[in-house]
Amino acid sequence: MLSDFRFLDEAGPAKVVQIHEPAAGLKAFVVIDNVAAGPSIGGLRMGLEVSAEECFRLARAMTFKNAVAGLPHGGGKSVLVGDPGMADAEKERLIRAFACAARDLKDYIVGPDMGTNERCMAWVHDEIGRAVGLPAVLGGIPLDEIGATGFGLATAIDVAQEFCDVRLDGARIAVQGFGAVGKHAARFLVEKDAILVAASDSHGMVANADGLDVQALIDHKAGGENLASFPGGSGERDAILDVDCDIWIPAARPDVLTEDNVGRLKARMVAQGANIPATPGAESALHQRGVLVLPDFAANAGGVICASVEHHGGNCTLAMQSIEEKLTDNTRTVLQHARDAGTPPRQAALEIAEARVREAMALRRWG
Ligand code: NAD
């Protein structure tokens, strides 16, 4: 895997560990990328199709996300081969075995990711005392319940008003993916006087140019229903792309905006809640049209900021304060840099992240 050093550069990875314990049925991979700013934080992803390559990429993405968020943490990631839907007892055994194998990787703090949740983090913590995203009873902050990422996204959008002609007061917002990120982003934006004109989930979409009742949508979904069955809803989930709105918020899946469909968007701002929701071609088309795009790894950092506060012993209130402070400062820094340099915000955010990583490396014994 490392024979061509494709994934190795001066910034990392610091450690790459393959774990293979056939007797335990354990196959996993851990990449600790750059740890100049502090121990790495990154999710444990469980799935049947996970790969080492994915792990390298996600670890580097976490280095940049943590750096642009201004956290004292580097980036890391781990992948564990297995069906996340396996019987609970079997999953517990496997995750505990993974934790024990990662015991000595002290510069890696394990967090939840696809296929793992707070119960899994409790098992990891029980074995090695090093995990974030824990259940509240173990000092965890329920980030999806409090809406950490949605709150951070709403904060970033608030700051972005200074850099475009969209005003939150009366802004029409459309949210693709009314889940943990999307519903809370909508809730916090409506508190700032925006109007939710459309929302979608994997089943359908509901739209109303006069504004939707966010709490009624949240209650409807909490009752096990989906948006297609909400009064006025339809099964046309992708019609969210055509909605007349000022701010479009992807909060569902990767690659939903492509060069083929990006022309349908009418918004003047796209605030990326989901990870990599747009292909590079789609993002560049938006930039050329003058649409302000808030890039995922800078705008959706609320969750990892919350995890960092949890790791350092903070509570919910401190987490929200920290998210607001960091997203305000960092969004302003990124958008100002983009304006000054005439680059897309994603490039500006990457340059800032890289500069911060280099600055931290210069303060450490490196090279
Ligand atoms: P979630 O499962 O709670 O919600 C996802 C929502 O998207 C669901 O309502 C689902 O029905 C909907 N959806 C799925 N496919 C869709 C489609 N094609 N069209 C419309 N809706 C669709 O997940 P989440 O935690 O809200 O995460 C959403 C995205 O944000 C993911 O890309 C995730 O990686 C990213 N993210 C989440 C966090 C976090 O704190 N939860 C942090 C950073 C990034």
Side-chain angles (χ1 to χ4, degrees), residues 29 65 116 120 162 192 205 215 251 272 316 325 354 357:
F29 208 79
K65 180 180 265 201
T116 61
C120 303
E162 298 165 22
K192 292 173 187 280
M205 181 190 81
Q215 195 53 51
Q272 300 183 338
C316 224
E325 246 175 62
E354 274 185 38
V357 171

Side-chain angles (χ1 to χ4, degrees), residues 143-144 149 177-181 200-202 237 251-253 273-275 300:
L143 68 94
D144 280 342
T149 302
F178 204 69
V181 174
S200 68
D201 64 12
S202 52
R237 69 171 191 206
R253 303 189 42 72
N275 291 321
N300 73 14

Side-chain angles (χ1 to χ4, degrees), residues 45 65 113-114 143-144 147-150 175-183 199-204 221 226-227 237-238 240 250-254 256 272-277 296 299-304:
R45 179 169 288 194
K65 180 180 265 201
D113 197 89
M114 283 156 64
L143 68 94
D144 280 342
T149 302
V175 175
Q176 182 194 50
F178 204 69
V181 174
K183 71 179 177 193
S200 68
D201 64 12
S202 52
H203 292 84
K221 288 215 37 132
N226 58 60
L227 294 184
R237 69 171 191 206
D238 293 339
I240 191 101
R253 303 189 42 72
V256 292
Q272 300 183 338
N275 291 321
I276 45 166
D296 49 8
N300 73 14
V304 75

Side-chain angles (χ1 to χ4, degrees), residues 1 24 28 33 44 73-75 79 81 118 126 144 151 158 170-171 211 244 268 309 316:
M1 163 53 66
D33 190 44
L44 166 62
H73 292 291
V79 295
V81 179
E118 57 183 36
D126 190 31
D144 280 342
F151 177 64
D158 200 342
D244 210 0
R268 284 171 294 146
V309 169
C316 224

Side-chain angles (χ1 to χ4, degrees), residues 81-322:
V81 179
D83 177 1
M86 68 175 60
D88 216 35
E90 174 65 2
K91 189 166 178 176
E92 177 170 354
R93 191 193 58 73
L94 202 56
I95 286 184
R96 283 184 183 275
F98 166 80
C100 292
R103 184 183 304 280
D104 292 334
L105 302 177
K106 296 211 164 54
D107 40 11
Y108 174 48
I109 301 157
V110 188
D113 197 89
M114 283 156 64
T116 61
N117 57 19
E118 57 183 36
R119 256 170 82 71
C120 303
M121 292 308 110
W123 300 329
V124 174
H125 190 260
D126 190 31
E127 295 297 336
I128 62 173
R130 218 174 50 240
V132 286
L134 295 168
V137 70
L138 298 180
I141 306 175
L143 68 94
D144 280 342
E145 230 170 86
I146 63 173
T149 302
F151 177 64
L153 196 61
T155 306
I157 293 170
D158 200 342
V159 172
Q161 293 181 89
E162 298 165 22
F163 296 86
C164 64
D165 60 355
V166 176
R167 294 292 160 265
L168 259 185
D169 190 356
R172 297 160 306 157
I173 58 170
V175 175
Q176 182 194 50
F178 204 69
V181 174
K183 71 179 177 193
H184 288 295
R187 184 165 69 80
F188 288 114
L189 288 167
V190 166
E191 276 177 19
K192 292 173 187 280
D193 297 322
I195 302 164
L196 179 69
V197 293
S200 68
D201 64 12
S202 52
H203 292 84
M205 181 190 81
V206 58
N208 184 341
D210 294 328
L212 293 158
D213 180 342
V214 176
Q215 195 53 51
L217 294 181
I218 292 175
D219 294 345
H220 181 76
K221 288 215 37 132
E225 293 290 333
N226 58 60
L227 294 184
S229 64
F230 191 82
S234 81
E236 302 285 307
R237 69 171 191 206
D238 293 339
I240 191 101
L241 285 164
D242 306 305
V243 166
D244 210 0
C245 65
D246 302 302
I247 304 172
W248 201 80
I249 300 177
R253 303 189 42 72
D255 293 334
V256 292
L257 288 178
T258 64
E259 277 161 275
D260 293 336
N261 67 15
V262 71
R264 288 164 60 185
L265 275 200
K266 298 186 177 65
R268 284 171 294 146
M269 189 195 300
V270 172
Q272 300 183 338
N275 291 321
I276 45 166
T279 62
E283 204 163 298
S284 133
L286 286 169
H287 182 66
Q288 275 159 27
R289 264 165 47 194
V291 177
L292 182 65
V293 180
L294 300 181
D296 49 8
F297 73 103
N300 73 14
V304 75
I305 296 171
C306 188
S308 168
V309 169
E310 176 185 316
H311 178 70
H312 294 279
N315 61 12
C316 224
T317 312
L318 190 62
M320 292 307 239
Q321 276 170 3
S322 183

